[in-house]
Amino acid sequence: MISVEKVSKEFTSKSGKVIGVDNVSLRIHKGEIYGIVGYSGAGKSTLIRCMNVLERPTSGRVIVDGVDLLGLSSKALRKARLSIGMIFQGFYLVSSKTVFENIAFALKAAGVDKTKRKERVMELLELVGLSDKIDHYPAQLSGGQKQRVSIARALANNPKVLLCDEATSALDPSTTKSILKLLKKINQELGITIVLITHEMEVVKEICNRCAVMQDGRIIEEGPTYELFAEPKRTLTKQFIHSVLDFELPSKLVEACTGRLVQLQFRGKLASEAIVSDMLQQFKVSGNILHGKVEYIQEKPLGIFIMELTGEELEVTSAIRYLEERLEQVEVIQ
């Protein structure tokens, strides 16, 4: 659906050239939700704006649904953009227009007649759950409601792609969850491909099929979201994962432990198997779970536990070897 091929974007400042995107290549499949995560200044917003040529790449190619956007005339590009909706952190609603008028404006600009505009706006308001706010103005709406209007406006012309630039960053956690649930519904019911820019790994975990981690204008790691959570390879990716799966033990607790501390990871169906209890029955060791959590990513469980094993050294070593043979990741902390 979207192919970004060796795209770079340079800006000129008083101090010289600044590289916003540095030779990035990505393939985003039709019908998936793809996340791009990175800290501020990583280049992720510039990259997503290159995908609809709001920022024209300095070099490379951007192909959306088989069309090379950089090879189009200005008129053809404007037409192609009708199939690419976009929502932003700041909503960008016209304060002097009602909810109805804000959504209808996108349809009017596309040449849709008045009768069909009204029908389409009503459909969209029902989809985003705002049918009762049709005559309200943006100042009368909450942040989440404003973003729902922005989503409805972005969907007005039946796009095939929806680009979301930090769409939940200005929202509280509860509202963020409701917006992510709406985006997932749109993806599943309408088959729209969604690209989601964020600096929050929690957002990626909630709805993204695949994701990429961006740093200094480059993609440093990419893959299925579950795999990135289960086995991150780059330091920055590990930092992002750590923000969701926080397993820092208090130093006083660690110092008080007399046994071996091990961190265990349970993937998929292993999360429901009695591997630890079987180990405790087979070996003369005692086990004390100090920390643990099970997250569901793409509806697959990922469990991480830290436990203390005590007993004779040979028994503890044998117990750890037993765990290593049955789990994909066992790390001896001390």
Side-chain angles (χ1 to χ4, degrees), residues 20-21 36-49 165-166 197-199 214:
V21 176
I36 301 175
V37 64
Y39 290 124
S40 296
K44 56 191 187 298
S45 290
T46 301
L47 175 60
I48 202 172
R49 289 170 68 88
D165 189 4
E166 297 281 10
I197 295 292
T198 183
H199 62 272
M214 201 166 181

Side-chain angles (χ1 to χ4, degrees), residues 245 247 266 271 292-297 300-305:
L245 302 175
F247 283 91
F266 298 80
K293 191 174 187 181
V294 177
E295 289 283 354
Y296 285 84
I297 304 164
K300 290 173 57 180
L302 176 65
I304 301 179
F305 295 87

Side-chain angles (χ1 to χ4, degrees), residues 6-17:
K6 298 182 179 180
V7 164
S8 293
K9 176 62 181 178
E10 296 179 356
F11 299 94
T12 301
S13 67
K14 292 181 179 179
S15 58
K17 288 184 178 180

Side-chain angles (χ1 to χ4, degrees), residues 72-195:
L72 299 178
S73 65
S74 297
K75 182 178 180 180
L77 179 58
R78 285 194 297 271
K79 184 177 180 180
R81 283 200 186 115
L82 293 177
S83 67
I84 308 172
M86 190 164 187
I87 58 175
F88 305 87
Q89 176 182 348
F91 316 130
Y92 296 112
L93 301 177
V94 181
S95 60
S96 60
K97 293 184 181 295
T98 64
V99 166
F100 178 92
E101 291 168 339
N102 267 280
I103 299 170
F105 180 78
L107 294 162
K108 185 178 180 180
V112 178
D113 69 65
K114 191 172 182 179
T115 302
K116 289 185 177 179
R117 285 204 299 268
K118 185 175 182 179
E119 290 176 359
R120 181 60 176 154
V121 171
M122 296 307 295
E123 287 176 5
L124 291 165
L125 286 175
E126 185 175 352
L127 175 67
V128 302
L130 290 179
S131 296
D132 60 333
K133 305 295 182 183
I134 187 169
D135 294 321
H136 283 56
Y137 288 88
Q140 298 172 292
L141 304 176
S142 67
Q145 289 169 338
K146 290 176 184 176
Q147 194 57 284
R148 286 172 181 268
V149 176
S150 296
I151 291 170
R153 183 182 57 190
L155 297 176
N157 291 300
N158 295 300
K160 296 178 180 178
V161 173
L162 182 62
L163 306 179
C164 307
D165 189 4
E166 297 281 10
T168 61
S169 296
L171 307 176
D172 62 74
S174 177
T175 306
T176 292
K177 281 188 175 294
S178 71
I179 293 297
L180 293 178
K181 186 177 180 180
L182 174 59
L183 290 174
K184 193 169 185 178
K185 175 184 175 182
I186 289 167
N187 169 257
Q188 293 175 340
E189 293 185 4
L190 304 182
I192 294 176
T193 303
I194 296 177
V195 183

